[in-house]
Amino acid sequence: MTERLAVDIGGTFVDAISFDRNDRDISVEKASTTPEEPESGVLASIDKVGVDLESTEAFVHGTTLGLNAVLEREGATTGIITNEGFRDVYEIGRTNVERHAMYDIRYEKPESLVPRRRRVGVPGRLDANGEEVEPLEADAVRDAAERLIDDQGVDTIAICFLHSYRNPIHERQAANIVHEAYPGTSVSISSDITREYREYERTSTAVMDAYIKPIFGSYVDDLEGELTEHGFDSPFFITRSGGGTLTAESATEAPVHTILSGPAGGLIGAAHVGRETNREDLITVDMGGTSLDACVIEDGTPAVKYDSRLEHQPLMIPVYDIRTIGAGGGSIAWLDGELLKVGPESAGAEPGPVCYGQGGTEPTVTDAAVALGYIDPEDFLGGEMELDAAGAREAIQTVLADPLDATVTDVSRGVFDVTLANTVGAIREITIEKGLDPREFSMMGFGGAGGMFVPLLGREMNVGEIVIPNAPSVFSAWGMLMADVVYDFARTNIEALADLELENIETVFDELDEQAVETLESEGFTGEEITLNHTLEMRYLGQEHTVEVDANGIESTDEIKDRFERKHADRYGHEMADPAEVVHQRVRAAGHNDKPPLETNEMNADASPEPVGTREAFCFADLEVVDFAVYDRGDLVSGTEIAGPAIVREPTTTIVFHSDQTASVDEYGQLLITGGEKR
């Protein structure tokens, strides 16, 4: 077995990539997403890429299935079992109002995933140290399960008790009782997902897990069955939201960890490429058909956070710190009075943009790109799909241009300007607002629409260079081939640092290390294939939020304090005289897979490929329609330099840069775009 396969499902297309370790060949294909039967799109992409599943040594998969179930409110009917008197914790939350609605008198809190009638409290209590104050009442748990399942039609139950992060005994007892009474019912317990304090956030995370668990499990079972029928009998991995992968079996046990698995693949790949090419400070921009995802990579590591949100609901799982906006190729352009807006609604895969000719009537970013001349209607997806350029222009004219008394070109340019403004705002949140200067970073663009849009974005933000990697349209799938198997283990133990001995901290790390190694060894990793990374989450007494402190190689509590104060000063610009306290101890465990290396080529300074033609398109530097030289990327060898304006076409994407920009090809075959500085 020499082939590795990765498949990434997006909102519009399914991307597949295979790598043969023997002949070093990489094959790339796209197939349409099939929302009603997502496994069909996966199998179609595998069929197109031509991989032999019997000779495939590993399959890595990224999917938005769980995410879409939450966003579209199509998850399983969910119930909650919690402590008596606390069933409303999930709905009350922290009484927060979304920032954008703080002064909106018409604001209505979004409908809860679990209404009050499907939340039940039962007797039983642990104290803050995890000691039993009141035994769990088994009959009450059985009655709660009967009420939820028989009376309310619940398919899945989230169990979350107070202080279970200290001692999960009551949660596990309750889960066993439910399983015995109703063996077919899915159950999620909070302590299996996160061992951290904050009962509302733990409840929300358990609910999210339970909400998608039956759907995700059914999908993975169906897909695994189809793969087996086609001869696949090797490890099957799912990408994690916070980086790395986990086995499909582990993913079905806690699917909430995969809820942002699609965007994670691109970040894994970008971090790997950055480290291999000495570009360890990157801003990544993944622009697909439905959304745009941006993230910062510093020192070769994508930013990870442990207190994220999905819509208004908190999640206590490790996720990459990604900013997602509704700005993909399928994002719909519309008018709010006389104000042009783009997204967040998307045309998706069905019906798709107007130019797809599948019944779409609302103009999208892709339609604007066709109208501006960036996409060749006769060569979309390598000629597999002919676009209706006239239909796209007519829709833009009717829906947008006529009401604004403008031309199709002006309005299409406006669609890009609005998308650009939305994206710049998202990237400012993860750079400038955190004390980072985008001009000191390289920007890596990928995704189906990344090559077309990111050179314009990098130009707007004055980044040092724009990097378009090989196979950018399926780069997230490629990144999945670079993924290691990763698990996170954590323990909440809030104590003043001055009251802790180093031995106390090391004891907890030893216990977490033991769990981590045992988990990875059960999946076949041994010795040097396993690495463990220790961190502490710390804060000053009286603070609510924490900073993450590297705890590897610590030799004293004084050293911990020094590291914390430096990190606090870096983040907030100052230190404080208040006592420091430790809140969480974390271990990230990685089982390292064999990764395909980046191939290098000899640089050819004399390379001067001829364009395959020219095309009229709108240049954002000249602010008019001009002739763009058109090149095939396969003709651009390492050492090539091209002056803009130019369009570089690939079978699955298009790269566009403007008259004040220049592109060169490095030894890895990446396209590096510079120039276009705006002051």
Side-chain angles (χ1 to χ4, degrees):
M1 295 187 181
T2 61
E3 289 193 283
R4 299 191 72 192
L5 172 68
V7 176
D8 176 32
I9 294 183
T12 308
F13 289 105
V14 182
D15 302 333
I17 185 166
S18 67
F19 171 71
D20 191 311
R21 290 193 294 108
N22 272 357
D23 57 25
R24 320 306 293 172
D25 278 351
I26 288 180
S27 300
V28 173
E29 288 293 345
K30 279 181 174 286
S32 293
T33 299
T34 50
E36 298 303 318
E37 293 183 352
E39 65 274 12
S40 298
V42 173
L43 294 169
S45 70
I46 293 173
D47 184 59
K48 287 185 70 175
V49 85
V51 69
D52 178 9
L53 286 172
E54 290 185 358
S55 64
T56 299
E57 65 179 4
F59 173 46
V60 188
H61 187 32
T63 174
T64 57
L65 186 72
L67 175 64
N68 292 341
V70 175
L71 297 179
E72 297 167 12
R73 292 295 189 271
E74 293 182 351
T77 304
T78 306
I80 295 175
I81 295 178
T82 187
N83 296 97
E84 189 174 52
F86 287 85
R87 69 172 177 157
D88 293 324
V89 163
Y90 177 64
E91 186 160 351
I92 294 171
R94 302 204 177 278
T95 67
N96 290 340
V97 174
E98 299 292 316
R99 180 179 293 184
H100 71 274
M102 287 180 67
Y103 304 103
D104 183 357
I105 60 173
R106 296 169 297 179
Y107 173 77
E108 293 184 14
K109 188 174 181 178
E111 185 178 348
S112 172
L113 288 179
V114 186
R116 196 170 197 266
R117 65 181 180 276
R118 299 207 300 262
R119 305 193 299 262
V120 182
V122 296
R125 183 70 66 85
L126 303 175
D127 65 17
N129 294 316
E131 300 295 331
E132 188 173 78
V133 175
E134 178 185 359
L136 182 68
E137 198 168 296
D139 289 340
V141 175
R142 271 187 217 96
D143 291 343
E146 180 180 349
R147 173 180 165 186
L148 291 172
I149 297 168
D150 293 341
D151 298 344
Q152 295 295 327
V154 158
D155 303 311
T156 179
I157 294 175
I159 298 175
C160 185
F161 292 141
L162 295 176
H163 312 304
S164 60
Y165 67 93
R166 285 283 198 184
N167 184 354
I169 186 170
H170 279 186
E171 287 192 348
R172 290 177 181 167
Q173 287 174 357
N176 289 336
I177 292 167
V178 174
H179 281 310
E180 287 173 5
Y182 295 90
T185 300
S186 170
V187 176
S188 296
I189 67 175
S190 74
S191 54
D192 276 355
I193 303 167
T194 177
R195 295 289 295 273
E196 298 177 28
Y197 80 130
R198 293 193 172 105
E199 70 281 356
Y200 164 54
E201 286 79 2
R202 270 192 302 110
T203 303
S204 176
T205 305
V207 166
M208 199 78 74
D209 187 79
Y211 188 69
I212 67 175
K213 198 168 190 174
I215 295 169
F216 189 87
S218 176
Y219 166 69
V220 171
D221 287 345
D222 290 345
L223 178 57
E224 199 162 20
E226 294 279 2
L227 293 171
T228 301
E229 282 187 17
H230 288 77
F232 179 73
D233 189 27
S234 294
F236 176 12
F237 299 101
I238 307 288
T239 315
R240 297 171 76 251
S241 304
T245 63
L246 66 170
T247 63
E249 181 181 0
S250 297
T252 57
E253 291 172 359
V256 71
H257 287 291
T258 71
I259 206 159
L260 295 174
S261 72
L267 287 171
I268 295 167
H272 180 73
V273 170
R275 288 190 295 267
E276 293 291 312
T277 63
N278 296 317
R279 292 181 178 87
E280 297 195 341
D281 293 331
L282 289 166
I283 299 169
T284 66
V285 181
D286 178 1
M287 187 175 185
T290 304
S291 63
L292 181 147
D293 304 305
C295 186
V296 170
I297 296 175
E298 284 190 274
D299 299 324
T301 303
V304 176
K305 58 182 180 179
Y306 297 90
D307 55 349
S308 59
R309 301 181 73 81
L310 181 55
E311 292 189 314
H312 64 285
Q313 298 162 102
L315 287 173
M316 291 185 74
I317 57 171
V319 300
Y320 283 137
D321 189 6
I322 298 171
R323 291 297 181 274
T324 299
I325 61 173
S331 295
I332 295 170
W334 54 287
L335 295 178
D336 183 2
E338 294 186 354
L339 185 64
L340 177 64
K341 293 190 174 182
V342 178
E345 291 80 11
S346 172
E350 297 173 0
V354 177
C355 62
Y356 284 10
Q358 298 176 349
T361 59
E362 298 176 286
T364 66
V365 173
T366 297
D367 295 309
V370 170
L372 292 174
Y374 300 147
I375 298 175
D376 184 350
E378 298 178 359
D379 193 43
F380 190 67
L381 293 181
E384 287 186 18
M385 182 177 180
E386 186 171 341
L387 300 182
D388 181 7
R393 293 182 65 87
E394 182 180 353
I396 294 171
Q397 181 75 57
T398 303
V399 177
L400 303 175
D402 286 347
L404 294 175
D405 193 22
T407 67
V408 169
T409 298
D410 286 342
V411 170
S412 298
R413 174 202 167 183
V415 170
F416 269 69
D417 281 333
V418 172
T419 305
L420 192 64
N422 292 341
T423 309
V424 169
I427 292 177
R428 284 178 63 92
E429 290 182 16
I430 55 176
T431 54
I432 294 171
E433 293 182 14
K434 293 190 175 181
L436 304 175
D437 187 345
R439 294 172 297 183
E440 297 175 357
F441 286 73
S442 297
M443 179 175 286
M444 183 173 287
F446 47 90
M452 176 182 67
F453 181 75
V454 174
L456 184 61
L457 175 64
R459 176 179 178 273
E460 182 71 18
M461 300 199 72
N462 291 332
V463 297
E465 64 179 356
I466 298 105
V467 181
I468 307 296
N470 293 297
S473 67
V474 295
F475 189 73
S476 286
W478 182 86
M480 293 172 190
L481 294 178
M482 305 296 114
D484 295 317
V485 175
V486 175
Y487 289 94
D488 288 278
F489 301 85
R491 187 80 55 83
T492 295
N493 186 27
I494 306 173
E495 287 195 54
L497 181 61
D499 295 336
L500 282 171
E501 298 291 338
L502 184 61
E503 183 180 349
N504 304 131
I505 296 172
E506 290 176 338
T507 297
V508 174
F509 276 132
D510 287 343
E511 292 172 359
L512 296 175
D513 286 348
E514 186 177 347
Q515 294 178 47
V517 171
E518 182 180 340
T519 300
L520 289 173
E521 286 182 343
S522 70
E523 297 186 4
F525 294 96
T526 59
E528 294 182 356
E529 295 173 338
I530 297 175
T531 60
L532 305 172
N533 185 56
H534 295 174
T535 56
L536 295 168
E537 286 204 24
M538 300 180 63
R539 64 190 181 191
Y540 286 113
L541 184 66
Q543 288 183 325
E544 170 67 12
H545 299 289
T546 61
V547 296
E548 192 174 69
V549 178
D550 178 11
N552 294 300
I554 53 175
E555 296 182 355
S556 67
T557 54
D558 287 339
E559 184 179 357
I560 294 174
K561 183 179 179 183
D562 289 342
R563 292 187 186 188
F564 164 65
E565 290 180 337
R566 286 199 302 271
K567 192 66 178 281
H568 192 279
D570 288 342
R571 173 71 59 83
Y572 299 110
H574 67 279
E575 298 176 9
M576 297 172 64
D578 300 77
E581 62 181 4
V582 174
V583 179
H584 305 298
Q585 291 184 230
R586 300 189 187 278
V587 171
R588 169 160 281 209
H592 296 283
N593 287 313
D594 180 31
K595 303 175 182 62
L598 295 183
E599 303 289 342
T600 58
N601 309 299
E602 288 189 14
M603 298 290 285
N604 183 357
D606 298 325
S608 55
E610 292 294 322
V612 296
T614 60
R615 189 186 314 154
E616 287 190 345
F618 185 83
C619 176
F620 273 81
D622 296 333
L623 297 181
E624 61 180 347
V625 175
V626 300
D627 284 335
F628 279 62
V630 180
Y631 296 86
D632 279 332
R633 188 162 187 181
D635 296 337
L636 306 183
V637 300
S638 295
T640 299
E641 289 195 9
I642 302 171
I647 295 172
V648 179
R649 66 186 191 186
E650 298 186 29
T652 55
T653 193
T654 299
I655 302 158
V656 179
F657 53 99
H658 302 270
S659 62
D660 56 354
Q661 294 177 300
T662 301
S664 61
V665 183
D666 70 4
E667 64 268 34
Y668 299 96
Q670 300 180 122
L671 210 59
L672 310 179
I673 299 170
T674 56
E677 292 186 359
K678 302 179 66 155
R679 300 299 181 190

